[in-house]
Structure formats: structure tokens, C-alpha cells
């Protein structure tokens, strides 16, 4: 399950003093919509077979549905025009479903995704942007965090455990906007409840670099590099475990 972007604001102007400024944080307003194109190239393999090339494209729209006093917001993610191919051959969605669909996200102002509810077939999901600090920062500063994310899909639920290390890389201009560039590396472990006698677990490492419009408080673009290992285990012990490996490079760009 590949997971991958949204909003933030930083208040030190380019060329200002190197002293720390206000903390980076997500700024949400009910009704705001953030639209992006998404494209990824990667590989997937079932051991011991060699990897096959996977390519995905889509348009994504994040809509702020509600903003709460506890520094969280409810967002809806709509995926449209989704196309996925394996070695150049289109991948069909599960029978009776579509890769085009919506997910409901609960996000904190520091960027942590606390939960996701997938409606229909799942596209991407989970982590789409960098994790922001709880303190004032300047370019070059680093911080760490840890959090859980609950993902509900087709009546079942799994919890991903994330440990993150982040750095405020620099300020730069992007499409005329003053951008703060933030990079976060996520180490994740996900274990699904056994189903039909099969246990599923996954570990992954993902690095996301996000360009944030410091004036408008929104993400300008994100770049993601990820690798993962998933293991399917027959709890009866009659079948040897199956291991799936993959990697992905993806870009989220404004439209």
C-alpha cells in the first residue's frame, strides 16, 4: 500500500536574519481546494521473480471539509483520471470498483495524518507531505517525531507506525512564490489483522521533499522516493511466506 502531500506556512522572509522565526504549521480554511497532478514510476516484485515496472498517473483534489479547535482538520481526497500500468499493460481495479474515488483524511496542523478512510478502491493514500516542527525553526534546523495512522478500507482497519526525521532545507522561489523547502524521512511499520488465515505486514522507508508557499500557506509541489517490503504469512504454516518488494519515485505538482 503506497502512501503518499498538503499545506503549510513559514514566516521568515528571504534574506532575513538567521534567527529562528515562527513555527511551520498547516493553515486550513473550510472550503479550500488544493489540486495537483500525480505521476509515479516504480517497480514491484514477488520474490524470487525480477521486478516489473509500475507507472501511475492521476489528478488529485484535497478539499478542506472542517477545521477543529484541537488543531486538526477533516479533508477529502478525490482521485480522478487514474491510470496504472504494469510493464506497460493497464492494471484493472478490483471487480465492481474504480481507482477513481475518495478518501477522508484527518490531519493535524503539524502535518501528521492521523487517519484515513478509503471509499472504493484505494489509490496511493496515507502520507503526502512533510512533517512540520512544534518549535520555531530556520533553514538548517532538524526535528524528529513519531505517530500512528489508522487506515480503514472495505470494513477492515490497519495501523501504521511512523518514525520521522525532518529538516528545513532552504528558502527558494517557485513559480513566483517564496517557498520553504522541507524534507522528511519516514520509517514505517504496518501490521494488518489476520484475514482468512493470512497475516500481512509491511515495512517502508520514504523521503518526501515539499515546497511550501510561505505566503499562501499551501504546498506548491512534493517529490517522493520510497521503498517497501511486504510479507504474507500463512498462519497454518503449510505455505511458505510470500515477500513482495517495491520502490517508487513520485511527483505532486499544482494544476
Amino acid at each position: 500500500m503506497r502512501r503518499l502531500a498538503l499545506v503549510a506556512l513559514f514566516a521568515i522572509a528571504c534574506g532575513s536574519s538567521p534567527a529562528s522565526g515562527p513555527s511551520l504549521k498547516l493553515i486550513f480554511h473550510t472550503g479550500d481546494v488544493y489540486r495537483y497532478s500525480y505521476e509515479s514510476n516504480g517497480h514491484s516484485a514477488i520474490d524470487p521473480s525480477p521486478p516489473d515496472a509500475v507507472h501511475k498517473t492521476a489528478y488529485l483534489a484535497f478539499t478542506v471539509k472542517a477545521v477543529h479547535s484541537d488543531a486538526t482538520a477533516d479533508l477529502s481526497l478525490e482521485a480522478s483520471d487514474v491510470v496504472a500500468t504494469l510493464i506497460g499493460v493497464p492494471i484493472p481495479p478490483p471487480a465492481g470498483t474504480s481507482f477513481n474515488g475518495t478518501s477522508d483524511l484527518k490531519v493535524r496542523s503539524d502535518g501528521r495524518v492521523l487517519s484515513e478512510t478509503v471509499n472504493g478502491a484505494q489509490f496511493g493514500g496515507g502520507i503526502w507531505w512533510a512533517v512540520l516542527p512544534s518549535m520555531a525553526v530556520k533553514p538548517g534546523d532538524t526535528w524528529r517525531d513519531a505517530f500512528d495512522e489508522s487506515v480503514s478500507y472495505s470494513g477492515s482497519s490497519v495501523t501504521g507506525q511512523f518514525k520521522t526525521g525532518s529538516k528545513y532545507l532552504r528558502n527558494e522561489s517557485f513559480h513566483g512564490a517564496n517557498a520553504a523547502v522541507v524534507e522528511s524521512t519516514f520509517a514505517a511499520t504496518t501490521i494488518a489483522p489476520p484475514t482468512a488465515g493470512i497475516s500481512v505486514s509491511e515495512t517502508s522507508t520514504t523521503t518526501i521533499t515539499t515546497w511550501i508557499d510561505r505566503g499562501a500557506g499551501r504546498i506548491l509541489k512534493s517529490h517522493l522516493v520510497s521503498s517497501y517490503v511486504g510479507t504474507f504469512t500463512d498462519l497454518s504454516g503449510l505455505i511458505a511466506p510470500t515477500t513482495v518488494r517495491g520502490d517508487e519515485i513520485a511527483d505532486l505538482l499544482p494544476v
Side-chain angles (χ1 to χ4, degrees):
M1 183 168 46
R2 305 282 35 88
R3 11 186 100 257
L4 265 238
L6 203 18
V7 222
L9 177 66
F10 185 65
I12 299 179
C14 290
S16 64
S17 128
S20 295
S23 298
L24 291 166
K25 62 180 179 179
L26 301 184
I27 304 296
F28 298 111
H29 302 284
T30 302
D32 282 354
V33 181
Y34 308 95
R35 301 183 188 278
Y36 304 92
S37 64
Y38 174 87
E39 181 173 11
S40 73
N41 289 282
H43 303 86
S44 182
I46 300 176
D47 284 354
S49 300
D52 293 322
V54 180
H55 180 252
K56 293 183 287 186
T57 58
Y59 288 100
L60 306 179
F62 295 86
T63 301
V64 182
K65 295 296 187 179
V67 180
H68 306 288
S69 59
D70 63 352
T72 64
D74 298 331
L75 285 78
S76 173
L77 165 59
E78 180 181 4
S80 61
D81 296 333
V82 178
V83 177
T85 62
L86 179 68
I87 55 173
V89 178
I91 301 173
T97 67
S98 170
F99 286 136
N100 297 332
T102 62
S103 296
D104 298 319
L105 310 176
K106 182 172 288 292
V107 184
R108 284 189 58 86
S109 61
D110 59 10
R112 291 180 293 168
V113 180
L114 302 181
S115 66
E116 177 182 11
T117 300
V118 180
N119 306 310
Q122 182 167 19
F123 172 80
I127 304 302
W128 297 92
W129 54 85
V131 171
L132 305 179
S134 59
M135 68 290 192
V137 290
K138 63 183 184 299
D141 285 348
T142 61
W143 56 95
R144 295 187 177 276
D145 207 337
F147 63 98
D148 292 348
E149 178 194 2
S150 173
V151 179
S152 300
Y153 175 56
S154 296
S156 62
S157 179
V158 299
T159 298
Q161 298 177 324
F162 294 86
K163 294 182 179 180
T164 66
S166 302
K167 185 174 183 178
Y168 184 2
L169 296 179
R170 61 188 179 275
N171 297 323
E172 66 178 53
S173 177
F174 178 76
H175 289 187
N178 292 321
V181 185
V182 177
E183 179 182 87
S184 291
T185 296
F186 300 78
T189 301
T190 303
I191 300 176
T195 302
I198 301 295
S199 173
V200 181
S201 63
E202 179 187 284
T203 59
S204 65
T205 300
T206 303
T207 297
I208 300 177
T209 306
T210 303
W211 283 252
I212 303 157
D213 186 329
R214 296 180 294 150
R218 62 170 294 168
I219 283 181
L220 297 169
K221 65 175 180 176
S222 261
H223 178 73
L224 174 152
V225 179
S226 179
S227 63
Y228 66 94
V229 177
T231 303
F232 297 78
T233 304
D234 176 17
L235 298 180
S236 71
L238 298 177
I239 302 174
T242 299
T243 300
V244 179
R245 303 176 188 274
D247 60 71
E248 180 180 40
I249 298 175
D251 287 286
L252 198 73
L253 298 173
V255 296

